[in-house]
Amino acid sequence: MDKFVIRGGNPLLGTIRVSGAKNAALPAMAAALLTDEPVILENVPQVRDIETTRKLLASMGAEVELGYGRAQHRTTLCCSRIAAPEASYELVKTMRASTLVLGPLLARCGTARISLPGGCAIGSRPIDLHINGLERLGANITQDHGYVEASARRLKGAEIIFDKITVTGTEDLLMAATLAEGETVMQNCAREPEVADLANLLNKMGALIEGAGTATIRVRGVEKLHGARHRIIPDRIEAATFIIAGALTGGDLNVTGCEPRHLGAVLQKLSEAGVKTACSEDSVRVMGDNPLVAADVVTEEYPGFPTDMQAQYMALATQANGTSIITENIFENRFMHALEMVRMGANIKIEGRRAVVRGKSPLSATAVLASDLRASASLVLAALVADGESIIDRVYHIDRGYEHIEEKLRGVGAQIRRIGEILPKKATAPAVRA
Ligand code: UD1
């Protein structure tokens, strides 16, 4: 298992480039299941969740070619033949977003068998809203031996009102509705930019979708979708993570290739916390020369402050003067990183869904354990300002969603390196003479 070794104290200076959004690329890859023609995606990040999705689609008989480097992160998917509309537990347990194939498989093949995802480090994360929505579209769904089995001759358009806002639930239903007979109206939808990006791709494939990016989405079902080419939007969470890295280390960092429009709540909160930023059309410059001050955060669905930035914001709050109260509204168990930050010297008290962070606390380097994707990013941030050399274990979590983060950070002056696990030397058996 790889680890990161990080020596804190260097201000980050220069330009750092944002990759394509993992959370937009995953549903886009699943959308390729809706057509027998090739779908070409550009700006797909080279991260482990994409590789997991490649394996998942390949296990069904799809052809997926991931091209990086000179191929400009282009992924070509061809699902002309779907031999087995199934997602096994082996794959779903490593990536919950695998459930995104449920809607498209059902719409295209009339049947799907998907493992239930089970527990998760940040909360219970059920998929009942996906299932209820598909039932509204006329699917027959049963659960057996830990799997969801769905079937429908052809889905039928319906009105779906989500009880709770769900991002992948909205995406799953949106994909299913494109091939349903008649009109589907979905209310209380997730308004995340990744949902709108998926709808853009689906419309290029011949779907008739209006309103994606708002709470109400209308889909007029069509008989068939065709191939398309699409560029994935920039990763707003990666961009925001780098902006916090620049602010925390007192650096001067230009975060390029991003979409500042998608960063509104984060930039507003950082401004309250004393962080100076300047936006251009596709970049954000962060100038970390101001003292940081405490500011409370409440995580919400988009356009509110993203839960996926809560952990990284907490790293910043440990270095702000005053008390910041961070309230996590989306997931019930998303404070594992706080305990690791406390081990580094932070003053954080967890009270149910609230974390009370008292700053500024000097952080001192130690060995810490990453518990999930965004938690690992927050520990990298904390280590960048800690005194001494930190070791972050289980960085496979960060590899799920951040493309070559250590190379990017090294490029702007961070002292960070990746090491493989050093195994104890094998004892050599004494030579035996005959
Ligand atoms: C997506 C993102 C993830 C982000 C999250 C919230 C992807 C691949 N992942 O996850 O990075 O942290 O949105 O912004 O895009 N819920 C139910 N029943 C359901 C579905 C969800 O109760 O059927 C609940 C969840 O437990 C959670 C809340 O709804 O409390 C929001 O979850 P959801 O938006 O579905 O998260 P994901 O789509 O899994």
Side-chain angles (χ1 to χ4, degrees):
M1 252 185 250
D2 287 359
K3 301 180 190 346
F4 281 158
V5 180
I6 301 175
R7 179 166 288 280
N10 285 16
L12 302 189
L13 302 168
T15 296
I16 194 163
R17 196 168 174 80
V18 173
S19 299
K22 164 191 88 83
N23 284 357
L26 297 179
M29 289 174 80
L33 289 168
L34 290 163
T35 174
D36 55 8
E37 294 182 16
V39 171
I40 299 169
L41 301 174
E42 283 161 8
N43 205 28
V44 174
Q46 190 174 18
V47 296
R48 207 156 53 93
D49 275 6
I50 297 295
E51 174 55 21
T52 305
T53 308
R54 185 196 63 76
K55 279 192 197 146
L56 175 65
L57 297 177
S59 75
M60 299 171 192
E63 289 166 39
V64 185
E65 215 179 276
L66 299 180
Y68 294 116
R70 262 178 299 164
Q72 299 214 327
H73 289 54
R74 185 179 304 128
T75 294
T76 308
L77 304 105
C78 188
C79 303
S80 52
R81 207 177 50 91
I82 300 171
E86 277 197 23
S88 72
Y89 177 63
E90 286 312 305
L91 289 166
V92 177
K93 76 175 182 197
T94 63
M95 190 189 68
R96 307 177 54 82
S98 306
T99 49
L100 278 167
V101 299
L102 177 58
L105 281 179
L106 185 57
R108 167 96 181 273
C109 309
T111 169
R113 186 168 178 270
I114 310 287
S115 168
L116 281 164
C120 171
I122 61 173
S124 59
R125 303 186 81 174
I127 59 163
D128 55 314
L129 301 172
H130 302 231
I131 292 172
N132 295 349
L134 290 170
E135 281 176 339
R136 296 276 307 157
L137 295 179
N140 182 13
I141 300 191
T142 55
Q143 286 184 29
D144 199 19
H145 298 289
Y147 277 72
V148 173
E149 296 189 357
S151 60
R153 279 177 64 124
R154 185 176 177 196
L155 296 172
K156 287 205 165 47
E159 181 170 24
I160 298 168
I161 305 173
F162 288 104
D163 286 347
K164 194 173 178 184
I165 297 177
T166 160
V167 178
T168 49
T170 302
E171 292 164 347
D172 206 6
L173 270 292
L174 178 59
M175 289 188 274
T178 58
L179 291 179
E181 188 186 334
E183 189 179 57
T184 299
V185 180
M186 304 199 290
Q187 311 231 33
N188 201 24
C189 295
R191 291 179 284 166
E192 267 68 1
E194 292 76 17
V195 175
D197 196 45
L198 172 65
N200 286 339
L201 165 64
L202 292 168
N203 281 342
K204 287 179 193 168
M205 293 167 68
L208 300 171
I209 302 168
E210 281 171 19
T214 74
T216 303
I217 304 181
R218 281 173 197 279
V219 187
R220 271 180 291 144
V222 295
E223 291 278 339
K224 211 170 158 24
L225 295 180
H226 51 74
R229 181 185 281 264
H230 181 70
R231 187 171 174 82
I232 299 294
I233 54 170
D235 195 314
R236 63 196 165 96
I237 304 300
E238 189 197 19
T241 303
F242 292 151
I243 294 169
I244 288 190
L248 249 183
T249 59
D252 187 344
L253 200 58
N254 201 17
V255 180
T256 60
C258 64
E259 187 71 77
R261 274 186 311 133
H262 296 161
L263 294 166
V266 174
L267 293 178
Q268 188 174 310
K269 191 51 66 182
L270 291 179
S271 155
E272 269 178 54
V275 177
K276 243 189 335 183
T277 55
C279 298
S280 78
E281 201 184 323
D282 64 351
S283 69
V284 177
R285 180 175 167 200
V286 53
M287 292 144 280
D289 48 4
N290 277 7
L292 298 169
V293 290
D296 297 346
V297 152
V298 178
T299 63
E300 281 166 4
E301 294 89 359
Y302 190 85
F305 191 94
T307 172
D308 282 353
M309 282 307 298
Q310 177 259 105
Q312 301 89 316
Y313 184 81
M314 191 179 290
L316 183 98
T318 67
Q319 301 308 297
N321 291 311
T323 300
S324 311
I325 297 179
I326 301 177
T327 308
E328 173 54 60
N329 265 338
I330 308 295
F331 294 110
E332 70 261 30
N333 185 28
R334 207 172 193 180
F335 283 140
M336 302 283 275
H337 44 279
L339 305 174
E340 297 300 295
M341 287 180 198
V342 167
R343 294 187 53 251
M344 297 175 84
N347 182 344
I348 307 171
K349 297 259 172 330
I350 304 296
E351 300 169 353
R353 281 182 176 255
R354 291 181 354 148
V356 181
V357 186
R358 293 197 170 83
K360 168 183 184 174
S361 311
L363 298 183
S364 60
T366 186
V368 289
L369 206 59
S371 54
D372 68 69
L373 168 56
R374 307 304 171 185
S376 1
S378 75
L379 296 176
V380 168
L381 295 177
L384 288 175
V385 287
D387 177 33
E389 201 169 74
S390 301
I391 297 183
I392 301 182
D393 202 350
R394 301 201 182 162
V395 299
Y396 60 83
H397 287 297
I398 211 164
D399 292 334
R400 286 188 49 197
Y402 286 85
E403 184 173 54
H404 307 310
I405 189 169
E406 75 278 25
E407 288 171 24
K408 289 190 183 189
L409 289 173
R410 228 179 5 247
V412 289
Q415 288 194 60
I416 172 170
R417 63 197 160 89
R418 180 186 288 260
I419 53 168
E421 191 166 32
I422 303 156
L423 297 170
K425 271 197 185 145
K426 259 196 199 161
T428 39
V432 180
R433 282 172 192 267

